[in-house]
């Protein structure tokens, strides 16, 4: 459990850094969206500018819950053991490998960065990347559900 405690501490540091970067992106996005508003702005303009802000805000909420769970595990030995068992469950590992693999998370990350960058330049590219991101995540969720039911 001492090794797992070290892993959780390192994970906690990484999540705090990600949280700070995400807060900076959300604040920057809100400032840019406010600055870009004009009387001739359409719904699509607002949607394209607001999507990355919403994406990073949702990510912040998820990371905040995960940080809370890690802090709770570091304080409570019983919860630490429960979290260790949950993370090292062989059935879930096999499902994760079968359904998603490592490349899934990299491609989702790159698509999120692509949507964020493209939202400052071109609506058509942004909407296309949003559609690709949605299909990719939904297909990953479908495969994960399939393998959970299969095994």
């Amino acid at each position: 459990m001492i090794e797992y405690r070290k892993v959780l501490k390192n994970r906690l540091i990484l999540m705090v850094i990600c949280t700070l970067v995400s807060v900076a992106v959300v604040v920057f996005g809100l400032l840019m969206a406010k600055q870009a508003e004009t009387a001739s702005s359409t719904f699509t303009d607002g949607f394209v500018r607001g999507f990355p802000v919403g994406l990073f805000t949702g990510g912040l909420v998820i990371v905040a819950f995960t940080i809370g769970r890690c802090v709770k595990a570091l304080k409570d030995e019983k919860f630490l053991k429960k979290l260790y068992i949950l993370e090292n469950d062989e059935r879930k590992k096999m499902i994760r490998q079968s359904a998603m693999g490592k490349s899934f998370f990299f491609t989702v990350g790159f698509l999120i960065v692509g949507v964020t960058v493209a939202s400052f330049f071109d609506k058509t590219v942004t909407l296309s990347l949003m559609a690709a991101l949605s299909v990719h995540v939904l297909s990953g969720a479908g495969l994960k559900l399939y393998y959970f039911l299969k095994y």
Side-chain angles (χ1 to χ4, degrees):
M1 281 300 161
I2 294 170
E3 286 295 318
Y4 185 64
R5 192 176 289 275
K6 287 179 186 176
V7 168
L8 274 184
K9 285 180 183 178
N10 290 337
R11 189 180 300 166
L12 193 60
I13 291 169
L14 184 64
M15 283 189 291
V16 168
I17 291 170
C18 288
T19 301
L20 294 174
V21 170
S22 293
V23 166
V25 169
V26 168
V27 169
F28 180 72
L30 288 173
L31 291 174
M32 291 299 288
K34 200 70 151 165
Q35 188 180 34
E37 281 183 23
T38 61
S40 63
S41 294
T42 63
F43 172 77
T44 309
D45 293 334
F47 181 75
V48 166
R49 297 270 185 221
F51 185 80
V53 174
L55 205 59
F56 278 94
T57 304
L60 278 172
V61 170
I62 292 170
V63 170
F65 280 117
T66 308
I67 287 174
R69 199 166 83 177
C70 286
V71 169
K72 182 180 176 184
L74 289 172
K75 290 182 180 179
D76 183 14
E77 192 69 33
K78 200 175 195 179
F79 190 72
L80 180 70
K81 188 173 183 178
K82 182 180 175 183
L83 192 61
Y84 177 79
I85 291 169
L86 185 70
E87 282 190 15
N88 292 307
D89 183 20
E90 290 178 14
R91 177 180 170 260
K92 285 189 179 183
K93 279 184 179 180
M94 192 268 308
I95 290 171
R96 196 176 303 131
Q97 286 175 350
S98 297
M100 298 180 168
K102 289 182 171 80
S103 65
F104 175 83
F105 298 105
F106 286 114
T107 54
V108 167
F110 287 131
L111 282 170
I112 289 171
V113 170
V115 167
T116 305
V117 171
S119 68
F120 294 107
F121 299 109
D122 189 12
K123 286 189 293 189
T124 307
V125 172
T126 304
L127 292 172
S128 300
L129 287 173
M130 283 183 210
L133 179 63
S134 300
V135 168
H136 188 59
V137 170
L138 288 174
S139 65
L143 284 171
K144 191 170 183 177
L145 182 65
Y146 169 76
Y147 281 111
F148 260 116
L149 295 174
K150 184 177 178 181
Y151 299 110

